Amino acid sequence: MRTLPLFRLVSLACVAALAGCALGPDYSGPPDAAPVAAQSGHFVRGQDTASADAPVNRWWEALGDPVLNDLVQRALDANPNLGIARARLQQSRAALSLEQANSLPSVGASALAGHARLPPINLGGSSGSSGSSSSSGSSGSSTSLNLYSLGFDATWEIDLFGGHRRAVQSATATAEAAEASLADVQVSLEAEVANAYINLRDRQRRIQLADESIRAQEQMATLTRQRLDRGTASNLDLIRVQNQLDGTRSDQVPLQADLESYLNQLATLVGQEPGTLDDMLAAKAAGEMPLPPAQVAVGDPQTLLRRRPDIRAAERTLAADTAKIGQAEAARYPSLKLFGVIGLGGTHPSDLTKLDDFTAVAAPMLSWNFLDFGRAKARVTQAERVRDEAEMKYRQSVLEALRDAEDSLSRFRYGRVTVATVARTKASADRALDLAQQRYRAGTGTLIEVLDTTRQQIAAQQNLSQAEAALTRSFVGIQKALGLGWSS
């Protein structure tokens, strides 16, 4: 058999596949989910608190805290959730490679060397009559047979209606969505580490201030008892001072519980056992709260929509689901497969070298399940509804991203106002304490007045620490809302 018909058949199939169009809708980009924001070119609120410069990707370095920088880097290197996202990305890329390979021919080879022993073939006959019988027959000898074969076979499904092309498009978009999901995990992880660290420093500072307040109130209680013994104070005065002391001690208990919780959280985020980071983080227990820079770069909503990884993941999922409609459409039409076999062989090993004596078979197969009682159409409808769901999820992710950005900017702006107000209160408490100490040194004031003013000044410091922590957390919220902190 000659190979020319096989070559012609394959050529015709290739021309048909190239000339065929892919069924289903072509993806033309995401819908315009936020036209007002895109036209305005800036955030409606909060723009007075942020510059329009390009945001910095490694935003946590702007806080100027080396310990935080180290924790974030450790988390990016060893966090288990980030490892899970990386594994999912590798899975999606492997699925893409599989879909790309499915559109190519499948070629195989086989070799056979066999020996068969056939039993003798006995032929015989008989005739009989009354009083006599005769028989005659012949007996053959056993036969041995050797068989040698070497063959190649190929199978190729022609992509007449673009089903394979749509599958590759869907797998490509799915892999890109997995990459964006990895970036989203990275962004969330960095923000989670920063918030846990800020909360930890806030609790450490407030516990330290609570200890100072407890010491001041213990001195007040001791002096009040002495005054009570001398008859210059009443039991009510002692009860009030003791109640204040007990209240401060009780307020310190949840702060200590929060402190241990944040220590454990940070250890887990960097991929280590709880308690591993206690010594390192306790070394800066009396350090200052990391504060955000004076200006925070934001940019415009269009840049936000392009940069946020969760929006990119939703958009790529929409593209993948759109391509799956074409896959379902192509399944409704006939499929063409080409089968080809080329073989050499015979009863002697030397027959394998006779290249001019070979067997070649080429066979196209056309199949069409045209009577499926609406199954294929139902799959198309299902794919269309899945695509509609993906579009709604994309629109929702865009709206939530814009709201997140607006809320974060608003919290940051009012957080700065709160810090300024609390800082003025703390400054007034500082002046009151200084005046009380001057009066005490001049002999016109009492030690109890100094201690009480000291307690109020410590409370003002605690309030300022809380306000500064809230401001820094709002800065972290802005960076997360802007989708910063990820890299390929």
Short mmCIF file of all heavy atoms in Angstrom, two decimals, residues 323-379:
data_model
loop_
_atom_site.label_atom_id
_atom_site.label_comp_id
_atom_site.label_asym_id
_atom_site.label_seq_id
_atom_site.Cartn_x
_atom_site.Cartn_y
_atom_site.Cartn_z
N ALA A 323 -14.84 31.19 26.92
CA ALA A 323 -14.30 30.21 25.98
C ALA A 323 -14.97 28.85 26.13
O ALA A 323 -15.10 28.10 25.14
CB ALA A 323 -12.79 30.08 26.19
N LYS A 324 -15.43 28.52 27.33
CA LYS A 324 -16.08 27.23 27.53
C LYS A 324 -17.41 27.13 26.79
O LYS A 324 -17.88 26.03 26.50
CB LYS A 324 -16.30 26.99 29.03
CG LYS A 324 -15.00 26.71 29.78
CD LYS A 324 -15.25 26.52 31.26
CE LYS A 324 -13.93 26.27 32.00
NZ LYS A 324 -14.14 26.13 33.46
N ILE A 325 -18.03 28.26 26.47
CA ILE A 325 -19.25 28.23 25.66
C ILE A 325 -18.93 27.67 24.28
O ILE A 325 -19.67 26.85 23.73
CB ILE A 325 -19.87 29.63 25.57
CG1 ILE A 325 -20.26 30.15 26.95
CG2 ILE A 325 -21.09 29.62 24.65
CD1 ILE A 325 -20.80 31.56 26.94
N GLY A 326 -17.81 28.10 23.69
CA GLY A 326 -17.39 27.57 22.40
C GLY A 326 -17.09 26.09 22.46
O GLY A 326 -17.37 25.35 21.50
N GLN A 327 -16.51 25.62 23.58
CA GLN A 327 -16.28 24.19 23.73
C GLN A 327 -17.60 23.43 23.68
O GLN A 327 -17.70 22.39 23.00
CB GLN A 327 -15.58 23.91 25.06
CG GLN A 327 -14.10 24.20 25.10
CD GLN A 327 -13.49 23.81 26.42
OE1 GLN A 327 -13.35 24.64 27.31
NE2 GLN A 327 -13.13 22.56 26.55
N ALA A 328 -18.57 23.91 24.41
CA ALA A 328 -19.87 23.23 24.43
C ALA A 328 -20.55 23.29 23.07
O ALA A 328 -21.21 22.33 22.64
CB ALA A 328 -20.75 23.85 25.51
N GLU A 329 -20.41 24.42 22.37
CA GLU A 329 -21.00 24.53 21.03
C GLU A 329 -20.35 23.54 20.06
O GLU A 329 -21.04 22.91 19.25
CB GLU A 329 -20.84 25.96 20.52
CG GLU A 329 -21.77 26.97 21.14
CD GLU A 329 -23.18 26.91 20.54
OE1 GLU A 329 -23.43 26.02 19.69
OE2 GLU A 329 -24.01 27.73 20.94
N ALA A 330 -19.03 23.42 20.10
CA ALA A 330 -18.33 22.52 19.18
C ALA A 330 -18.73 21.07 19.40
O ALA A 330 -18.71 20.27 18.46
CB ALA A 330 -16.82 22.68 19.33
N ALA A 331 -19.10 20.71 20.64
CA ALA A 331 -19.49 19.33 20.92
C ALA A 331 -20.82 18.97 20.26
O ALA A 331 -21.15 17.78 20.18
CB ALA A 331 -19.58 19.12 22.43
N ARG A 332 -21.58 19.94 19.78
CA ARG A 332 -22.86 19.65 19.13
C ARG A 332 -22.69 19.23 17.67
O ARG A 332 -23.65 18.75 17.05
CB ARG A 332 -23.76 20.88 19.18
CG ARG A 332 -24.07 21.38 20.60
CD ARG A 332 -24.89 22.65 20.56
NE ARG A 332 -26.17 22.45 19.91
CZ ARG A 332 -27.04 23.41 19.63
NH1 ARG A 332 -26.74 24.66 19.95
NH2 ARG A 332 -28.17 23.15 19.03
N TYR A 333 -21.48 19.37 17.13
CA TYR A 333 -21.27 19.13 15.70
C TYR A 333 -20.36 17.93 15.49
O TYR A 333 -19.74 17.42 16.42
CB TYR A 333 -20.68 20.40 15.06
CG TYR A 333 -21.64 21.56 15.09
CD1 TYR A 333 -21.64 22.47 16.15
CD2 TYR A 333 -22.57 21.74 14.07
CE1 TYR A 333 -22.52 23.52 16.19
CE2 TYR A 333 -23.46 22.80 14.10
CZ TYR A 333 -23.44 23.69 15.16
OH TYR A 333 -24.33 24.72 15.19
N PRO A 334 -20.26 17.46 14.23
CA PRO A 334 -19.46 16.24 13.97
C PRO A 334 -18.00 16.43 14.33
O PRO A 334 -17.46 17.54 14.30
CB PRO A 334 -19.65 16.00 12.47
CG PRO A 334 -20.89 16.75 12.11
CD PRO A 334 -20.95 17.93 13.01
N SER A 335 -17.35 15.32 14.66
CA SER A 335 -15.91 15.31 14.92
C SER A 335 -15.25 14.38 13.91
O SER A 335 -15.79 13.34 13.54
CB SER A 335 -15.61 14.84 16.34
OG SER A 335 -16.06 13.51 16.54
N LEU A 336 -14.07 14.76 13.46
CA LEU A 336 -13.32 14.00 12.45
C LEU A 336 -11.99 13.57 13.05
O LEU A 336 -11.21 14.42 13.51
CB LEU A 336 -13.08 14.84 11.20
CG LEU A 336 -12.22 14.21 10.11
CD1 LEU A 336 -12.88 12.94 9.56
CD2 LEU A 336 -11.95 15.21 8.99
N LYS A 337 -11.76 12.26 13.03
CA LYS A 337 -10.49 11.71 13.52
C LYS A 337 -9.80 10.97 12.39
O LYS A 337 -10.45 10.30 11.58
CB LYS A 337 -10.73 10.75 14.68
CG LYS A 337 -11.19 11.41 15.97
CD LYS A 337 -11.31 10.41 17.10
CE LYS A 337 -11.75 11.08 18.39
NZ LYS A 337 -11.85 10.11 19.51
N LEU A 338 -8.49 11.10 12.34
CA LEU A 338 -7.67 10.42 11.36
C LEU A 338 -6.84 9.35 12.07
O LEU A 338 -6.20 9.63 13.08
CB LEU A 338 -6.73 11.40 10.65
CG LEU A 338 -7.39 12.50 9.82
CD1 LEU A 338 -6.32 13.37 9.19
CD2 LEU A 338 -8.29 11.90 8.75
N PHE A 339 -6.89 8.14 11.52
CA PHE A 339 -6.11 7.03 12.04
C PHE A 339 -5.12 6.59 10.96
O PHE A 339 -5.49 6.46 9.78
CB PHE A 339 -7.00 5.84 12.41
CG PHE A 339 -7.99 6.15 13.50
CD1 PHE A 339 -9.27 6.59 13.17
CD2 PHE A 339 -7.65 6.01 14.83
CE1 PHE A 339 -10.20 6.87 14.15
CE2 PHE A 339 -8.57 6.30 15.81
CZ PHE A 339 -9.85 6.74 15.48
N GLY A 340 -3.90 6.37 11.32
CA GLY A 340 -2.89 5.90 10.38
C GLY A 340 -1.99 4.86 11.03
O GLY A 340 -1.62 4.99 12.19
N VAL A 341 -1.65 3.82 10.23
CA VAL A 341 -0.78 2.75 10.71
C VAL A 341 0.21 2.42 9.62
O VAL A 341 -0.16 2.27 8.44
CB VAL A 341 -1.59 1.48 11.09
CG1 VAL A 341 -0.64 0.36 11.52
CG2 VAL A 341 -2.57 1.79 12.20
N ILE A 342 1.47 2.30 9.95
CA ILE A 342 2.52 1.83 9.06
C ILE A 342 3.26 0.71 9.78
O ILE A 342 3.68 0.88 10.93
CB ILE A 342 3.51 2.97 8.70
CG1 ILE A 342 2.77 4.08 7.95
CG2 ILE A 342 4.65 2.43 7.85
CD1 ILE A 342 3.65 5.27 7.61
N GLY A 343 3.37 -0.46 9.09
CA GLY A 343 3.97 -1.61 9.74
C GLY A 343 4.91 -2.38 8.84
O GLY A 343 4.75 -2.42 7.62
N LEU A 344 5.92 -2.97 9.42
CA LEU A 344 6.87 -3.88 8.77
C LEU A 344 6.85 -5.18 9.54
O LEU A 344 6.72 -5.20 10.76
CB LEU A 344 8.29 -3.30 8.77
CG LEU A 344 8.51 -1.97 8.03
CD1 LEU A 344 9.90 -1.44 8.33
CD2 LEU A 344 8.32 -2.15 6.54
N GLY A 345 7.02 -6.32 8.79
CA GLY A 345 7.05 -7.59 9.51
C GLY A 345 7.01 -8.79 8.58
O GLY A 345 6.91 -8.68 7.35
N GLY A 346 7.15 -9.93 9.23
CA GLY A 346 7.12 -11.20 8.51
C GLY A 346 7.47 -12.33 9.46
O GLY A 346 7.41 -12.19 10.68
N THR A 347 7.88 -13.44 8.87
CA THR A 347 8.19 -14.62 9.67
C THR A 347 9.67 -14.73 10.00
O THR A 347 10.07 -15.66 10.72
CB THR A 347 7.74 -15.89 8.92
OG1 THR A 347 8.40 -15.94 7.65
CG2 THR A 347 6.24 -15.88 8.72
N HIS A 348 10.48 -13.80 9.50
CA HIS A 348 11.91 -13.80 9.79
C HIS A 348 12.33 -12.40 10.23
O HIS A 348 11.76 -11.41 9.78
CB HIS A 348 12.72 -14.22 8.55
CG HIS A 348 12.40 -15.61 8.09
ND1 HIS A 348 12.91 -16.74 8.69
CD2 HIS A 348 11.59 -16.05 7.07
CE1 HIS A 348 12.44 -17.82 8.08
NE2 HIS A 348 11.63 -17.42 7.09
N PRO A 349 13.34 -12.30 11.11
CA PRO A 349 13.79 -10.97 11.53
C PRO A 349 14.26 -10.10 10.38
O PRO A 349 14.15 -8.88 10.43
CB PRO A 349 14.93 -11.29 12.49
CG PRO A 349 14.64 -12.65 13.00
CD PRO A 349 14.00 -13.39 11.85
N SER A 350 14.75 -10.71 9.31
CA SER A 350 15.22 -9.91 8.18
C SER A 350 14.08 -9.20 7.47
O SER A 350 14.31 -8.23 6.74
CB SER A 350 15.96 -10.82 7.18
OG SER A 350 15.09 -11.84 6.69
N ASP A 351 12.84 -9.63 7.70
CA ASP A 351 11.71 -8.96 7.06
C ASP A 351 11.52 -7.54 7.60
O ASP A 351 10.89 -6.70 6.94
CB ASP A 351 10.42 -9.76 7.31
CG ASP A 351 10.45 -11.11 6.60
OD1 ASP A 351 11.17 -11.22 5.58
OD2 ASP A 351 9.76 -12.03 7.06
N LEU A 352 12.06 -7.26 8.78
CA LEU A 352 11.93 -5.92 9.35
C LEU A 352 12.77 -4.90 8.62
O LEU A 352 12.57 -3.69 8.78
CB LEU A 352 12.32 -5.94 10.83
CG LEU A 352 11.46 -6.81 11.75
CD1 LEU A 352 12.03 -6.78 13.16
CD2 LEU A 352 10.01 -6.35 11.75
N THR A 353 13.73 -5.37 7.82
CA THR A 353 14.61 -4.45 7.08
C THR A 353 14.15 -4.20 5.66
O THR A 353 14.77 -3.40 4.94
CB THR A 353 16.03 -5.02 7.07
OG1 THR A 353 16.05 -6.27 6.37
CG2 THR A 353 16.55 -5.23 8.49
N LYS A 354 13.09 -4.82 5.26
CA LYS A 354 12.58 -4.66 3.90
C LYS A 354 11.65 -3.45 3.86
O LYS A 354 10.43 -3.57 4.03
CB LYS A 354 11.86 -5.92 3.44
CG LYS A 354 12.76 -7.16 3.40
CD LYS A 354 11.99 -8.39 3.00
CE LYS A 354 12.90 -9.63 2.97
NZ LYS A 354 12.16 -10.85 2.59
N LEU A 355 12.26 -2.28 3.69
CA LEU A 355 11.49 -1.03 3.76
C LEU A 355 10.52 -0.87 2.60
O LEU A 355 9.58 -0.07 2.68
CB LEU A 355 12.45 0.16 3.80
CG LEU A 355 13.43 0.17 4.98
CD1 LEU A 355 14.31 1.40 4.92
CD2 LEU A 355 12.69 0.11 6.30
N ASP A 356 10.76 -1.59 1.49
CA ASP A 356 9.85 -1.46 0.35
C ASP A 356 8.66 -2.39 0.45
O ASP A 356 7.78 -2.38 -0.42
CB ASP A 356 10.61 -1.73 -0.95
CG ASP A 356 11.26 -3.11 -0.94
OD1 ASP A 356 11.40 -3.68 0.17
OD2 ASP A 356 11.64 -3.61 -2.01
N ASP A 357 8.63 -3.18 1.52
CA ASP A 357 7.52 -4.11 1.71
C ASP A 357 6.88 -3.79 3.06
O ASP A 357 7.26 -4.34 4.09
CB ASP A 357 8.04 -5.55 1.67
CG ASP A 357 6.90 -6.55 1.69
OD1 ASP A 357 5.72 -6.12 1.55
OD2 ASP A 357 7.15 -7.76 1.88
N PHE A 358 5.98 -2.89 3.05
CA PHE A 358 5.35 -2.48 4.31
C PHE A 358 3.84 -2.42 4.13
O PHE A 358 3.30 -2.46 3.02
CB PHE A 358 5.89 -1.11 4.75
CG PHE A 358 5.58 0.00 3.79
CD1 PHE A 358 4.39 0.72 3.89
CD2 PHE A 358 6.46 0.31 2.76
CE1 PHE A 358 4.11 1.74 3.00
CE2 PHE A 358 6.18 1.33 1.87
CZ PHE A 358 5.00 2.05 2.00
N THR A 359 3.20 -2.31 5.26
CA THR A 359 1.74 -2.20 5.29
C THR A 359 1.38 -0.79 5.78
O THR A 359 1.91 -0.33 6.78
CB THR A 359 1.12 -3.23 6.24
OG1 THR A 359 1.48 -4.53 5.79
CG2 THR A 359 -0.39 -3.10 6.28
N ALA A 360 0.52 -0.13 5.08
CA ALA A 360 0.07 1.22 5.45
C ALA A 360 -1.44 1.28 5.40
O ALA A 360 -2.06 0.83 4.43
CB ALA A 360 0.68 2.26 4.53
N VAL A 361 -2.00 1.82 6.47
CA VAL A 361 -3.45 1.94 6.56
C VAL A 361 -3.78 3.36 7.01
O VAL A 361 -3.18 3.87 7.96
CB VAL A 361 -4.05 0.93 7.56
CG1 VAL A 361 -5.56 1.13 7.67
CG2 VAL A 361 -3.72 -0.49 7.14
N ALA A 362 -4.68 4.01 6.31
CA ALA A 362 -5.17 5.33 6.70
C ALA A 362 -6.69 5.30 6.68
O ALA A 362 -7.30 4.84 5.71
CB ALA A 362 -4.65 6.40 5.75
N ALA A 363 -7.28 5.80 7.78
CA ALA A 363 -8.74 5.71 7.87
C ALA A 363 -9.28 6.94 8.58
O ALA A 363 -8.96 7.15 9.75
CB ALA A 363 -9.14 4.44 8.61
N PRO A 364 -10.05 7.78 7.93
CA PRO A 364 -10.75 8.86 8.62
C PRO A 364 -12.04 8.34 9.24
O PRO A 364 -12.68 7.42 8.70
CB PRO A 364 -11.03 9.86 7.50
CG PRO A 364 -11.16 9.02 6.28
CD PRO A 364 -10.23 7.84 6.46
N MET A 365 -12.41 8.90 10.38
CA MET A 365 -13.65 8.49 11.03
C MET A 365 -14.45 9.73 11.40
O MET A 365 -13.95 10.60 12.12
CB MET A 365 -13.38 7.66 12.28
CG MET A 365 -14.67 7.13 12.93
SD MET A 365 -14.38 6.15 14.43
CE MET A 365 -13.94 7.45 15.57
N LEU A 366 -15.63 9.83 10.91
CA LEU A 366 -16.52 10.94 11.20
C LEU A 366 -17.62 10.45 12.13
O LEU A 366 -18.30 9.46 11.83
CB LEU A 366 -17.14 11.48 9.90
CG LEU A 366 -18.01 12.74 10.03
CD1 LEU A 366 -17.16 13.93 10.43
CD2 LEU A 366 -18.75 13.01 8.71
N SER A 367 -17.76 11.13 13.26
CA SER A 367 -18.79 10.75 14.23
C SER A 367 -19.62 11.97 14.60
O SER A 367 -19.10 13.09 14.68
CB SER A 367 -18.15 10.14 15.49
OG SER A 367 -17.31 11.06 16.11
N TRP A 368 -20.88 11.73 14.83
CA TRP A 368 -21.80 12.82 15.15
C TRP A 368 -22.96 12.26 15.95
O TRP A 368 -23.75 11.47 15.44
CB TRP A 368 -22.30 13.48 13.87
CG TRP A 368 -23.13 14.73 14.12
CD1 TRP A 368 -23.25 15.42 15.29
CD2 TRP A 368 -23.93 15.43 13.17
NE1 TRP A 368 -24.07 16.48 15.15
CE2 TRP A 368 -24.51 16.53 13.85
CE3 TRP A 368 -24.20 15.23 11.82
CZ2 TRP A 368 -25.35 17.43 13.22
CZ3 TRP A 368 -25.06 16.12 11.20
CH2 TRP A 368 -25.62 17.21 11.88
N ASN A 369 -23.04 12.71 17.16
CA ASN A 369 -24.14 12.29 18.03
C ASN A 369 -25.26 13.32 17.89
O ASN A 369 -25.48 14.17 18.75
CB ASN A 369 -23.66 12.19 19.48
CG ASN A 369 -24.71 11.57 20.40
OD1 ASN A 369 -25.67 10.97 19.94
ND2 ASN A 369 -24.51 11.75 21.69
N PHE A 370 -25.96 13.25 16.76
CA PHE A 370 -26.94 14.28 16.45
C PHE A 370 -28.26 14.09 17.18
O PHE A 370 -29.07 15.01 17.28
CB PHE A 370 -27.19 14.33 14.93
CG PHE A 370 -27.69 13.04 14.36
CD1 PHE A 370 -29.05 12.77 14.29
CD2 PHE A 370 -26.81 12.08 13.88
CE1 PHE A 370 -29.51 11.58 13.76
CE2 PHE A 370 -27.27 10.90 13.34
CZ PHE A 370 -28.62 10.64 13.28
N LEU A 371 -28.52 12.89 17.68
CA LEU A 371 -29.78 12.64 18.37
C LEU A 371 -29.48 12.37 19.85
O LEU A 371 -29.33 11.22 20.27
CB LEU A 371 -30.51 11.45 17.74
CG LEU A 371 -31.94 11.18 18.26
CD1 LEU A 371 -32.84 12.38 18.01
CD2 LEU A 371 -32.52 9.94 17.59
N ASP A 372 -29.32 13.43 20.60
CA ASP A 372 -29.00 13.29 22.03
C ASP A 372 -30.11 13.84 22.92
O ASP A 372 -29.90 14.01 24.12
CB ASP A 372 -27.68 13.98 22.36
CG ASP A 372 -27.75 15.48 22.14
OD1 ASP A 372 -28.76 15.96 21.57
OD2 ASP A 372 -26.79 16.18 22.52
N PHE A 373 -31.24 14.16 22.33
CA PHE A 373 -32.42 14.61 23.07
C PHE A 373 -32.13 15.87 23.89
O PHE A 373 -32.59 16.02 25.02
CB PHE A 373 -32.96 13.49 23.97
CG PHE A 373 -33.35 12.26 23.21
CD1 PHE A 373 -32.48 11.18 23.14
CD2 PHE A 373 -34.57 12.18 22.55
CE1 PHE A 373 -32.82 10.04 22.44
CE2 PHE A 373 -34.92 11.03 21.85
CZ PHE A 373 -34.04 9.96 21.78
N GLY A 374 -31.34 16.78 23.32
CA GLY A 374 -31.11 18.08 23.94
C GLY A 374 -29.98 18.15 24.95
O GLY A 374 -29.81 19.18 25.61
N ARG A 375 -29.19 17.08 25.09
CA ARG A 375 -28.11 17.11 26.08
C ARG A 375 -27.06 18.17 25.73
O ARG A 375 -26.62 18.93 26.59
CB ARG A 375 -27.44 15.74 26.17
CG ARG A 375 -28.36 14.63 26.70
CD ARG A 375 -27.58 13.33 26.87
NE ARG A 375 -28.43 12.25 27.31
CZ ARG A 375 -29.07 11.40 26.50
NH1 ARG A 375 -28.94 11.55 25.18
NH2 ARG A 375 -29.83 10.44 26.97
N ALA A 376 -26.63 18.18 24.46
CA ALA A 376 -25.59 19.14 24.05
C ALA A 376 -26.08 20.58 24.19
O ALA A 376 -25.34 21.46 24.64
CB ALA A 376 -25.15 18.86 22.62
N LYS A 377 -27.32 20.82 23.81
CA LYS A 377 -27.87 22.17 23.94
C LYS A 377 -27.96 22.59 25.40
O LYS A 377 -27.69 23.75 25.74
CB LYS A 377 -29.26 22.23 23.28
CG LYS A 377 -29.89 23.62 23.33
CD LYS A 377 -31.18 23.66 22.57
CE LYS A 377 -31.83 25.04 22.69
NZ LYS A 377 -30.95 26.12 22.23
N ALA A 378 -28.29 21.64 26.26
CA ALA A 378 -28.35 21.96 27.69
C ALA A 378 -26.97 22.31 28.23
O ALA A 378 -26.83 23.20 29.08
CB ALA A 378 -28.93 20.78 28.46
N ARG A 379 -25.93 21.65 27.73
CA ARG A 379 -24.57 21.97 28.16
C ARG A 379 -24.18 23.37 27.70
O ARG A 379 -23.49 24.11 28.43
CB ARG A 379 -23.58 20.94 27.63
CG ARG A 379 -23.78 19.54 28.20
CD ARG A 379 -22.65 18.61 27.79
NE ARG A 379 -22.91 17.25 28.21
CZ ARG A 379 -23.40 16.29 27.45
NH1 ARG A 379 -23.69 16.56 26.17
NH2 ARG A 379 -23.61 15.09 27.91
#
